[in-house]
């Protein structure tokens, strides 16, 4: 059973060499004394930014640190090979928490969702039909209170979450601009995902001036994925009673000390509501989300771009690539296709 191990706690930017390949032997059936365990063959693994904080020693966080010397874990899609839990049987396809390895014995099957719709790509359950999809849905509809005609700005807009937020906002009739880190990503935002406009934040010396150019009348909704300088510039460009959904701050995850944000007083002047959220508080809405999104996918009203690394060996590079923007769309690792 090949595995991806965290060598040691990480500081600064994560590197491929922070992880190594190992293997153990695993019996391909659930132990008799565990009435809960589900044995999975992992098919797809999801690379997600929140995995970086888990690579360091965390205290009082909403997630646990990975254990140096042990396999890392995250969201994935798997096939049930054996199950002692009554909710799952051999052959079921599931998504949820699993290990970065070929086979995983999952002892917390309450964190697994049974896959009902199999006429869509299975890898979508790491993205549009999994945690990032629910994040975009909950963050946009439940936190932003969006209305047709509003001005929406999305950062890290071509990623797993951002590409969906932009499309949801367009479907509602908003004006949507996204930022991303390369020309190709910007082209995709405009031509593939239907954003009204987009810009490469790396080419803008003055983010405040850039936002003024794209939003001469200001921003009603900011879907925050990056933090730092971008947040500071957005705060200067928000409209009266604007809303900021704080989904993530990827620009801060590798810093020893987070950057200061200077312009928070605008929250007062403009009566802005800035709200952080965690997708884990919203999984009760998953069935409702599926009802909305499955038809959208089938009718081509929402598209989804994935970037797939082939093989578990390539998983560490794919994961660290998130922090330099190497991923073009949702970063997936295909461990096995059947
Ligand atoms: P993405 O697929 O967007 O991948 C990360 C992207 O972030 C990279 O491709 C890169 O794109 C961009 N990026 C990396 N470093 C920086 C930087 N220093 N400054 C600006 N952009 C950077 O990731 P996800 O869509 O999965 O996640 C997006 C955000 O949502 C993250 O902050 C994540 O932590 C958060 N999140 C929060 C959840 C919650 O429950 N609150 C759940 C899921 C995700 P580019 O080339 O454009 O720079």
């Amino acid at each position: 059973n090949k595995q991806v191990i965290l060598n040691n706690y990480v500081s600064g930017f994560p590197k491929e060499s922070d992880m190594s390949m190992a293997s153990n032997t695993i019996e391909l059936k659930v132990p008799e004394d565990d009435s809960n365990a589900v044995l999975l063959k992992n098919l797809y693994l999801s690379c997600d930014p929140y995995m970086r904080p888990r690579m360091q020693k965390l205290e009082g966080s909403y997630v646990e640190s990975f254990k140096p010397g042990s396999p890392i874990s995250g969201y994935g899609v798997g096939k049930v090979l054996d199950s002692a839990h009554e909710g799952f049987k051999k052959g079921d396809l599931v998504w949820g928490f699993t290990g970065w390895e070929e086979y995983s014995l999952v002892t917390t099957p309450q964190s697994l969702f049974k896959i009902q719709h199999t006429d869509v790509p299975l890898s979508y359950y790491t993205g549009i039909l999994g945690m990032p999809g629910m994040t975009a849905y909950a963050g946009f509809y439940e936190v932003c209170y969006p209305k047709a005609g509003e001005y929406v700005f999305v950062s890290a807009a071509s990623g797993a979450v951002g590409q969906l937020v932009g499309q949801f906002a367009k479907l509602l009739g908003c004006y949507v601009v996204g930022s991303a880190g390369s020309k190709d990503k910007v082209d995709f935002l405009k031509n593939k995902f239907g954003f009204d406009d987009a810009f490469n934040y790396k080419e803008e010396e003055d983010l405040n001036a850039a936002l003024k150019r794209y939003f001469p009348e200001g921003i009603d909704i900011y879907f925050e994925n990056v933090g730092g300088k971008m947040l500071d510039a957005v705060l200067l460009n928000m409209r009266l009673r604007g809303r900021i959904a704080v989904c993530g701050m990827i620009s801060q995850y590798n810093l020893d000390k987070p950057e200061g944000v200077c312009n928070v007083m605008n929250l007062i002047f403009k009566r802005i509501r800035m709200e952080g959220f965690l997708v884990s508080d919203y999984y009760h809405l998953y069935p409702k989300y599926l009802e909305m999104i499955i038809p959208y996918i089938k009718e081509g009203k929402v598209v989804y771009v994935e970037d797939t690394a082939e093989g578990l060996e390539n998983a560490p590079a794919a994961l660290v690539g998130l922090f330099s923007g190497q991923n073009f769309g949702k970063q997936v690792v295909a461990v096995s296709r059947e």
Side-chain angles (χ1 to χ4, degrees), residues 110 121 124:
Q110 62 275 16
Y124 275 15

Side-chain angles (χ1 to χ4, degrees), residues 128 130-146 161 164-165 168 221 223 244-247 273 275-286 288-290 292-293:
I128 183 171
M131 184 278 279
M134 264 311 295
T135 303
Y137 177 72
F140 184 62
Y141 293 105
E142 302 291 315
V143 182
C144 294
Y145 297 103
V161 176
L164 291 173
V165 174
F168 294 163
I221 289 175
F223 196 97
I244 301 178
V246 186
C247 175
R273 196 167 52 73
E275 183 178 338
F277 72 98
L278 279 178
V279 61
S280 48
D281 293 336
Y282 293 92
Y283 280 127
H284 59 285
L285 298 177
Y286 185 59
K288 199 173 146 204
Y289 173 57
L290 283 183
M292 177 191 96
I293 198 72

